Amino acid sequence: MTEAVPSRATLAHRLDDLPFTRRHLRLLTGSGLGWALDAMDVGLISFILAALAQQWDLTKAESGWIASVGFIGMALGASLGGLLADRFGRRQIFAITLLVYGLATGASALAGGVAILLVLRFFVGLGLGAELPVASTYVSEFAPARIRGRLIVILEAFWAVGWTAAALIGYFVIPASDDGWRWAFALGAVPAAYALLVRWGLPESPRWLASRGRFAEADRIVGTFETDAGVIANPAPATGSTRVIAATAAARLGTLWSAEFRVRTLCIWLVWFCVNFAYYGAFIWIPSILVDAGYDLVRSFGFTLIITLAQLPGYAVAAWLIELWGRRITLSVFLAGSAVSAVLFGTAGEPAAIIASGMALSFFNLGAWGALYAVTPEIYPTSLRGTGSGWAAGVGRIASIVAPLLVPVLLGLGGAPLLFVVFAAFFVVAAGAAWGLVDRRGQALDDR
């Protein structure tokens, strides 16, 4: 039996009032598949680096560049991907980014030297960088307002699934043979084909369609969700103002720094920069740092696998708190916890202390990531949501380029204790900047 609902003036209200349906679940998992693949790739490179450093006799500088070149691609991909998603739609860009990633990852398995691996890692980063901000924007535009933050944190939790898969591959596959790292890259490429098929089956964002004046298409998509939920929509056609706050790429970029948005843009860029610096500086290098500390390859990978498992409860707690406490306080608390955990990890000496502090770092840091991805698309209106999210991620990727290159320098100056104190300082700055963001817990998205 269908349930009547109050008349809605706009598509946005109809989307916000929906219960969570099977279509929402399909959209979440279809988007999350790509997210998990992204995480698996980024995670795999940390394990592959430790193996290649021995097999190819890499210098620290060469290892740093292999880690960083993907992030150069990510910075460019995030910036362009957001602009393209606002111009051409979320779904198309979403699928194309996965295609670029899959082809480049598969080709990486055949790399015969550092130079070609660097080129391929750049293209992998190009696809990954565009994917993540577009994915969070896409899901946030479908999610009902009352659970929007929670769904984005759950989407981000697919990162833990992918990183855990990378840790398992790193532990069981990479040390098994000299070609283990090649098999690791190949395993990362195969599921991309399946995820690409899923992507093409997902609908376009009705909010984006409405912002382009395509109300009939948007109404049809929202109607399928309402039918799935057993909801009767207002029979009046879904029409309304087509006014958008920015209609061109130049206008979107300029509007990010208008009086209304400049504080939140500055703060979100600062948070993204600091979190990327600390996260990628730490987690890309943890296996190699443990090897340098005297643990063999298998044992260091085993430690990293255990540390990685703490990501899932971090996401779960963040998903619960983000609708209870709100975005800003949840983000800042998890960043503060990340700072304390970083100091403890950097000064840990015994295996038990390394694992415990590493798990705490994993728990708090990934919970913070979930909150960050939830808040970022919410602070901008629909017509520049992809651009705002993409450029914030792009600025963050600059830090993820720099951090892996600075790690060997900081290790040489003061070892792991100095390195992780620096990471802690970045987490503290990010926690402070989080308070300059707009908190839209339970509120409708701005559809200008």
Side-chain angles (χ1 to χ4, degrees):
M1 182 175 178
T2 56
E3 178 186 347
V5 294
S7 174
R8 293 162 176 79
T10 64
L11 287 162
H13 290 154
R14 289 166 61 191
L15 285 167
D16 281 338
D17 287 346
L18 281 170
F20 186 77
T21 68
R22 286 173 298 175
R23 288 184 182 273
H24 287 107
L25 180 61
R26 184 185 175 201
L27 188 139
L28 183 64
T29 54
S31 303
L33 273 174
W35 208 288
L37 291 172
D38 293 353
M40 188 164 74
D41 179 84
V42 176
L44 279 175
I45 200 64
S46 68
F47 295 99
I48 288 169
L49 267 180
L52 284 183
Q54 296 181 353
Q55 190 177 132
W56 286 2
D57 195 25
L58 298 177
T59 65
K60 289 292 186 187
E62 288 173 327
S63 295
W65 274 110
I66 292 172
S68 289
V69 72
F71 296 118
I72 296 174
M74 281 186 173
L76 183 60
S79 303
L80 290 177
L83 283 166
L84 292 173
D86 280 337
R87 173 65 181 85
F88 297 105
R90 312 329 189 187
R91 188 188 66 166
Q92 288 190 82
I93 304 305
F94 204 17
I96 290 169
T97 60
L98 194 58
L99 180 63
V100 172
Y101 151 76
L103 291 175
T105 299
S108 297
L110 305 175
V114 173
I116 188 63
L117 185 58
L118 288 174
V119 172
L120 291 170
R121 291 302 302 166
F122 172 80
F123 281 100
V124 168
L126 198 65
L128 295 186
E131 159 116 29
L132 300 184
V134 175
S136 59
T137 296
Y138 178 73
V139 175
S140 71
E141 290 182 346
F142 276 95
R146 66 190 176 282
I147 57 170
R148 186 174 57 241
R150 188 162 294 159
L151 290 186
I152 300 303
V153 177
I154 293 171
L155 172 68
E156 230 284 291
F158 278 88
W159 185 271
V161 175
W163 199 283
T164 301
L168 289 169
I169 293 169
Y171 185 73
F172 290 108
V173 176
I174 294 176
S177 69
D178 287 345
D179 288 330
W181 65 272
R182 297 185 188 275
W183 286 110
F185 275 135
L187 286 170
V190 171
Y194 172 71
L196 185 61
L197 291 175
V198 173
R199 287 284 172 78
W200 281 117
L202 296 177
E204 182 54 85
S205 164
R207 294 178 190 269
W208 179 82
L209 289 170
S211 75
R212 311 295 291 187
R214 294 158 64 177
F215 287 102
E217 294 174 67
D219 182 51
R220 189 161 52 248
I221 292 169
V222 176
T224 62
F225 279 76
E226 289 170 331
T227 299
D228 197 41
V231 169
I232 298 176
N234 183 348
T239 59
S241 171
T242 58
R243 184 179 74 88
V244 295
I245 199 168
T248 66
R252 292 183 192 108
L253 291 173
T255 304
L256 293 181
W257 293 100
S258 65
E260 181 179 357
F261 298 107
R262 66 169 64 109
V263 171
R264 66 185 79 172
T265 295
L266 176 63
C267 289
I268 200 69
W269 284 19
L270 188 57
V271 176
W272 271 90
F273 187 90
C274 291
V275 172
N276 270 272
F277 185 93
Y279 174 78
Y280 286 107
F283 282 88
I284 289 292
W285 278 93
I286 279 177
S288 297
I289 290 171
L290 292 174
V291 169
D292 290 345
Y295 298 101
D296 62 38
L297 202 63
V298 173
R299 199 173 185 202
S300 73
F301 285 4
F303 283 1
T304 307
L305 173 58
I306 295 169
I307 288 169
T308 299
L309 294 176
Q311 295 182 7
L312 281 170
Y315 284 123
V317 174
W320 175 58
L321 290 176
I322 201 160
E323 301 295 0
L324 183 67
W325 287 355
R327 282 50 165 157
R328 284 181 301 203
I329 189 169
T330 301
L331 178 57
S332 59
V333 165
F334 274 83
L335 287 169
S338 300
V340 174
S341 302
V343 173
L344 293 176
F345 184 83
T347 54
E350 296 300 316
I354 291 171
I355 291 172
S357 58
M359 290 180 73
L361 181 59
S362 219
F363 174 92
F364 284 110
N365 199 182
L366 277 297
W369 269 116
L372 180 57
Y373 270 105
V375 74
T376 302
E378 292 184 344
I379 66 176
Y380 294 110
T382 298
S383 57
L384 66 145
R385 187 168 295 126
T387 300
S389 299
W391 275 74
V395 168
R397 298 308 177 193
I398 295 172
S400 61
I401 297 165
V402 174
L405 296 173
L406 283 182
V407 167
V409 177
L410 292 170
L411 285 173
L413 290 174
L418 172 64
L419 177 66
F420 281 87
V421 165
V422 171
F423 292 153
F426 274 81
F427 283 131
V428 169
V429 172
W435 288 95
L437 304 177
V438 174
D439 195 323
R440 300 187 68 89
R441 176 179 54 148
Q443 299 176 29
L445 291 174
D446 182 347
D447 278 311
R448 288 178 291 168

